[in-house]
Amino acid sequence: MSTTDDSFSVPQDPINMPCPGLKERWWHIMDTWKVGIIPLPLFLLAGVLIAIDCLGGKLPADIVVMVATLAFFGFACGEFGKRLPVVGKLGAAAICATFIPSAMVYYGLLPDVVVESTTKFYKSTNILYLYICCIIVGSIMSMNRTVLIQGFLRIFFPMLCGEIVGMIVGMGVGLALGMEPFQIFFFIILPIIAGGVGEGAIPLSIGYATLLHMDQGVALGRVLPMVMLGGLTAIIISGCLNQLGKRYPHLTGEGQLMPNRANADTTSSQPVVSGKTDVTAIASGALLAVLLYMIGMLGHKLIGLPAPVGMLFIAVLVKLCNGASPRLLEGSQVVYRFFQTSVTYPILFAVGVAITPWQELVNAFTISNLLVIVSTVSALVATGFFVGKKIGMHPIDVAIVSCCQSGQGGTGDVAILTAGNRMSLMPFAQIATRIGGAINVSVSLLILGNFFV
């Protein structure tokens, strides 16, 4: 007979157990019924308050009201995407959080005051850059130093191979469909790998306007839909890669590019969130991210390097030189996790409302365009997968970074990494988007100006 305490416990009669009171039931609803991260009662309250403001004809664009507004709509769209059958597991949450708001704006389903306030808030605050800098700095500070060095040194080779193969495959498919080579490369393939909208599509449209003697608005109208469709394809592929990683765990590092053997001797240097992180450490971690971004802005003024990239390099330098204490590293990691879980879908909603033109996306939905775009992005990602595996990296994580080569800049990186559940890869995604895109645009415009005009 067992002599443990469990053998002497007296089971309670479920019939005579006390029923939970009203207070306990209310707490149960608050803690278990949620839309995204928002308890259902608070979600409903936010909806009522927003509706009252909308009926009054004015929704303030200040940060207090916008936090509630973006959270309400962003998590609603994200939750809808998560609950879709089949595609809910393939990145539909990020797609819905971005493109449902865009469609609602176009079809007039979103109140004008919400559209106006969201657009004003997004464009006046540059909140996307606050999000990106906290994600980049937090993810870098939580990385192992050895993995960080090896990852940055090795990631460029799969990226380069992916772009070359993607261009070749895209050109081949386009030629097979009877499209003109000039049109295929400069107006479909190049916009896909140009680095997004601000760093890719707009500089391309300016270059085309100068070199091809066309109106910049016309050039942008032809380029922008390809950027968006390429980003949409990358989001879907990233979601599929995430599911592939769940089925074949040996192919993924769950956000780490290098295998565990690379950091077996330095695991102790990793900051681990204890759950008791001091509030001042969290505040210091957030301030560190902001200050590093300000240094990146200064670098942009001096040498023209994009501020997120400059910030990325400075953050890596701080990490490699042990410039941040373990307490500060832990604070940065908490900030990173907060933004990852709480700010992603609100940011994607704002992006969908403010800078995602639905009609241009729809206009680009032709069979020939789609075939070229899907084949280009698929070949780019597949090449990253196999090359990454060949050189000893986690192939799924490398492939998700490769997806970011065809994303919509910083916003595309957020959506792609959210769909792939690999937000810790943001530093490498920024390299793929910013540096890779800048090189592609510069070299291609140089070739266009010297050989085709």
Side-chain angles (χ1 to χ4, degrees):
M1 178 182 293
S2 173
T3 58
T4 61
D5 291 340
D6 291 340
S7 62
F8 298 102
S9 61
V10 178
Q12 291 183 323
D13 185 357
I15 298 178
N16 297 322
M17 288 180 63
C19 296
L22 182 61
K23 178 178 66 176
E24 286 75 16
R25 292 179 181 177
W26 174 252
W27 288 350
H28 177 75
I29 293 174
M30 291 284 284
D31 292 339
T32 58
W33 293 14
K34 295 182 178 181
V35 178
I37 65 165
I38 309 174
L40 182 60
L42 298 185
F43 179 82
L44 296 176
L45 176 61
V48 171
L49 294 175
I50 294 169
I52 292 174
D53 280 336
C54 291
L55 292 175
K58 184 177 181 181
L59 183 70
D62 59 77
I63 190 170
V64 176
V65 176
M66 282 294 101
V67 165
T69 303
L70 299 185
F72 176 82
F73 287 105
F75 283 112
C77 293
E79 192 72 20
F80 173 78
K82 286 180 181 179
R83 295 182 180 276
L84 291 176
V86 183
V87 294
K89 297 181 179 180
L90 303 178
I95 294 173
C96 290
T98 306
F99 292 103
I100 286 180
S102 176
M104 292 177 69
V105 171
Y106 179 77
Y107 293 110
L109 301 178
L110 203 62
D112 291 339
V113 289
V114 174
V115 177
E116 294 170 4
S117 298
T118 300
T119 303
K120 180 180 178 181
F121 175 78
Y122 178 82
K123 294 186 176 180
S124 64
T125 60
N126 275 338
I127 189 172
L128 176 65
Y129 289 103
L130 174 64
Y131 176 89
I132 289 177
C133 74
C134 289
I135 289 291
I136 289 178
V137 173
S139 55
I140 287 178
M141 294 305 165
S142 63
M143 283 183 185
N144 177 272
R145 294 172 71 249
T146 305
V147 173
L148 185 62
I149 295 172
Q150 294 187 357
F152 272 97
L153 291 177
R154 293 195 186 188
I155 192 61
F156 289 99
F157 186 61
M159 286 169 49
L160 177 61
C161 294
E163 288 194 352
I164 294 173
V165 174
M167 290 178 185
I168 294 173
V169 172
M171 286 294 295
V173 172
L175 291 173
L177 293 172
M179 302 174 69
E180 296 182 2
F182 187 88
Q183 164 73 15
I184 299 169
F185 183 80
F186 286 101
F187 285 95
I188 300 180
I189 295 177
L190 183 58
I192 294 173
I193 58 175
V197 179
E199 296 83 359
I202 293 177
L204 273 181
S205 66
I206 295 173
Y208 290 167
T210 302
L211 298 173
L212 301 178
H213 307 290
M214 60 190 302
D215 183 80
Q216 184 188 350
V218 174
L220 185 62
R222 293 178 62 182
V223 166
L224 189 59
M226 307 306 163
V227 177
M228 297 174 63
L229 285 176
L232 177 60
T233 304
I235 294 171
I236 296 172
I237 293 177
S238 181
C240 294
L241 287 168
N242 182 42
Q243 293 303 309
L244 183 66
K246 292 179 179 179
R247 187 168 183 177
Y248 302 101
H250 65 283
L251 295 177
T252 179
E254 293 294 336
Q256 295 291 332
L257 290 178
M258 305 301 301
N260 288 334
R261 63 176 182 273
N263 62 354
D265 59 337
T266 53
T267 305
S268 60
S269 67
Q270 286 293 95
V272 179
V273 176
S274 62
K276 300 180 181 179
T277 309
D278 187 85
V279 174
T280 58
I282 299 174
S284 298
L287 182 61
L288 174 65
V290 172
L291 293 178
L292 292 180
Y293 183 75
M294 292 178 68
I295 295 175
M297 292 175 63
L298 182 61
H300 177 67
K301 293 180 181 179
L302 295 177
I303 60 176
L305 188 68
V309 177
M311 175 196 64
L312 188 155
F313 288 142
I314 298 298
V316 171
L317 183 63
V318 170
K319 175 68 176 180
L320 297 182
C321 296
N322 291 316
S325 66
R327 179 172 171 273
L328 186 56
L329 296 178
E330 186 172 351
S332 297
Q333 190 175 358
V334 173
V335 172
Y336 156 73
R337 292 191 176 184
F338 168 77
F339 274 83
Q340 178 187 10
T341 57
S342 305
V343 187
T344 298
Y345 292 114
I347 284 287
L348 291 177
F349 170 80
V351 167
V353 170
I355 61 171
T356 306
W358 177 258
Q359 186 59 48
E360 293 182 9
L361 179 69
V362 173
N363 291 341
F365 264 93
T366 65
I367 297 299
S368 57
N369 285 345
L370 286 175
L371 288 175
V372 173
I373 291 170
V374 172
S375 62
T376 300
V377 178
S378 299
L380 188 157
V381 175
T383 303
F385 181 97
F386 290 109
V387 173
K389 184 178 181 181
K390 190 70 174 179
I391 63 176
M393 305 176 77
H394 289 297
I396 287 179
D397 301 275
V398 175
I400 290 177
V401 173
S402 297
C403 287
C404 296
Q405 292 179 260
S406 53
Q408 299 180 57
T411 58
D413 291 342
V414 174
I416 291 167
L417 297 181
T418 299
N421 195 28
R422 301 290 193 285
M423 195 61 74
S424 59
L425 294 174
M426 179 62 81
F428 304 101
Q430 288 290 298
I431 290 176
T433 302
R434 311 281 182 175
I435 298 180
I439 293 174
N440 291 333
V441 171
S442 301
V443 172
S444 299
L445 289 179
L446 186 63
I447 293 174
L448 177 63
N450 285 278
F451 296 99
F452 290 91
V453 178

